[in-house]
Amino acid sequence: MTSAADPLTLVLVGPMAAGKTSVGRRVARRLGVEFVDTDKRIVAAHGPIPSIFADHGEPHFRDLERRAVADAISEGGVISLGGGAVTDAVTRELLRGHSVVFLTVSAEAVADRLRGSNRPLLSGEDPIERWKRIFDERRGWYAEVASATFDTSRRPMQKIADEIVAWKREQR
Ligand code: S3P
């Protein structure tokens, strides 16, 4: 069982539009713990992500993200990270020793989910090609931090969430 001294912590990582937020929210509900989306925290404190990238650059965003990840981990619960959080070595170090789930998704499945999205790293020509290239660049980092991998391409998000909950319960 979880107690204040032993907070349940489960971190979700993976490429943009892998379903980290929707799966994370469902997992947290099932486990009866808080859900934190670090992107949402950053937006609440610093404004829209495209503006942060445009006004201060990606390195500044990664600084804010690193701090948001550190705070969230110290609080515990289910935590969804932005797709690029793993590019930062200190953030990867913060994840060490925690349950980290890597959500994968195929490029075909992601095409629909990206429509209408406002992600600065995918703006411009051919967002799917960019998405693929960025995912390929980061694959090794996701694998490095992950304790388990689940694919979200086909199944309902609730089913994936249930499988993650079952996996997490086996760990404890
Ligand atoms: C980013 C992913 C985004 C957000 C920002 C940068 C990335 O989060 O953090 O736009 O570098 O992959 P999602 O993975 O939730 O789209």
Side-chain angles (χ1 to χ4, degrees), residues 13-21 37-40 42 49-50 53 58 61-62 65 80-87 114 117-122 131 134 138 142:
V13 301
M16 291 176 266
K20 299 180 291 291
T21 301
D37 179 310
T38 55
D39 277 344
K40 293 218 164 60
I42 294 167
I49 292 174
F53 270 69
E58 183 173 347
F61 177 76
R62 298 299 168 206
E65 185 170 52
S80 291
L81 307 193
V86 296
T87 62
L114 288 182
S117 97
N118 190 13
R119 291 170 168 96
L121 294 180
L122 300 179
W131 179 89
I134 293 170
R138 295 173 175 172
Y142 293 128

Side-chain angles (χ1 to χ4, degrees), residues 7-139:
L8 179 148
T9 302
L10 176 63
V11 183
L12 298 175
V13 301
M16 291 176 266
K20 299 180 291 291
T21 301
S22 43
V23 171
R25 190 172 288 121
R26 287 171 171 83
V27 171
R29 203 178 296 137
R30 278 283 152 96
L31 291 172
V33 299
E34 291 296 313
F35 173 66
V36 174
D37 179 310
T38 55
D39 277 344
K40 293 218 164 60
R41 283 229 174 140
I42 294 167
V43 171
H46 303 279
I49 292 174
S51 310
I52 300 174
F53 270 69
D55 297 344
H56 305 286
E58 183 173 347
H60 178 69
F61 177 76
R62 298 299 168 206
D63 285 346
L64 300 176
E65 185 170 52
R66 188 187 314 116
R67 274 181 257 166
V69 173
D71 289 348
I73 286 181
S74 71
E75 294 161 22
V78 175
I79 305 158
S80 291
L81 307 193
V86 296
T87 62
D88 185 274
V90 177
T91 298
R92 294 199 299 278
E93 196 55 39
L94 290 168
L95 302 181
R96 197 185 289 274
H98 293 289
S99 294
V100 179
V101 168
F102 171 23
L103 294 184
T104 58
V105 62
S106 67
E108 294 70 37
V110 107
D112 263 359
R113 300 185 202 169
L114 288 182
R115 249 182 280 284
S117 97
N118 190 13
R119 291 170 168 96
L121 294 180
L122 300 179
S123 63
E125 291 288 293
D126 214 341
I128 299 293
E129 274 313 306
R130 279 170 197 259
W131 179 89
K132 281 193 213 165
R133 183 177 47 72
I134 293 170
F135 188 12
D136 280 345
E137 285 168 5
R138 295 173 175 172
R139 237 174 241 282

